[in-house]
Amino acid sequence: MQTYLEQPPAPVESKAINPEHIKAFSDELEQGVVADEHEYLTYKGVNNHSWKISKSGALLVPCYCKNGALVGLQRIYKNSHGKFIKQFATGSNIEVGAFSIVAVNEHCQKNILIAEGVATGASVYEATGLTTVIAFNVGNLSKVVDIFRKQQP
């Protein structure tokens, strides 16, 4: 049996997601570049785990739903006042239990840790080495837990 982490992306289930938004998310991710560092991650004291950086300098964090389809995009950037802003791209559908995978431990997929945000997820993975997923916000945690509990009982 394939685990969730081995399954290929499937079409989006939710009718609420506009295909034009999905294309825009995908295009922005494709145009981004993987860099060793980003100022937000440096500020938080964690490494970049394959997240891309946009042309404008935002950290790009893809949001996936339970079947692996792209359903949103979170951008993290510093505003003109020096404050870090976390913003979901227009049309992102986080309420479906959206998540992003920080990193996968190929040797131990039975233990999956779920954190609220990017920096916490990166910290958890770096401290444990276990597969780690982020749920983006506290209201989404139980949905993401349910998704992975069904996939990895």
Side-chain angles (χ1 to χ4, degrees), residues 97-152:
F99 61 87
S100 192
I101 297 172
V102 176
V104 175
N105 180 329
E106 298 293 334
H107 304 289
C108 179
Q109 291 188 14
K110 69 177 185 169
N111 295 317
I112 297 175
L113 305 178
I114 300 173
E116 182 180 357
V118 170
T120 304
S123 294
V124 166
Y125 174 73
E126 291 167 19
T128 66
L130 296 173
T131 297
T132 306
V133 172
I134 57 173
F136 296 105
N137 62 54
V138 71
N140 209 31
L141 277 168
S142 63
K143 294 174 189 172
V144 176
V145 167
D146 288 344
I147 288 168
F148 282 89
R149 186 173 286 145
K150 288 176 184 169
Q151 293 291 332
Q152 304 283 347

Side-chain angles (χ1 to χ4, degrees), residues 20-128:
E20 291 176 11
H21 290 141
I22 294 169
K23 180 167 178 7
F25 306 151
S26 182
D27 289 349
E28 189 169 353
L29 284 166
E30 190 173 304
Q31 293 170 11
V33 296
V34 175
D36 289 338
E37 296 182 4
H38 181 270
E39 59 186 340
Y40 173 75
L41 300 174
T42 301
Y43 174 75
K44 292 292 189 172
V46 296
N47 297 316
N48 187 349
H49 294 279
S50 300
W51 292 301
K52 292 187 173 183
I53 313 296
S54 71
K55 291 179 181 179
S56 65
L59 183 68
L60 302 175
V61 184
C63 311
Y64 300 102
C65 68
K66 67 182 178 181
N67 64 8
L70 183 64
V71 294
L73 182 65
Q74 183 181 53
R75 296 183 192 106
I76 303 175
Y77 59 93
K78 194 181 271 189
N79 70 10
S80 60
H81 302 290
K83 181 180 178 186
F84 286 107
I85 304 296
K86 297 175 188 176
Q87 180 182 56
F88 289 102
T90 301
S92 295
N93 190 352
I94 305 310
E95 295 76 29
V96 298
F99 61 87
S100 192
I101 297 172
V102 176
V104 175
N105 180 329
E106 298 293 334
H107 304 289
C108 179
Q109 291 188 14
K110 69 177 185 169
N111 295 317
I112 297 175
L113 305 178
I114 300 173
E116 182 180 357
V118 170
T120 304
S123 294
V124 166
Y125 174 73
E126 291 167 19
T128 66

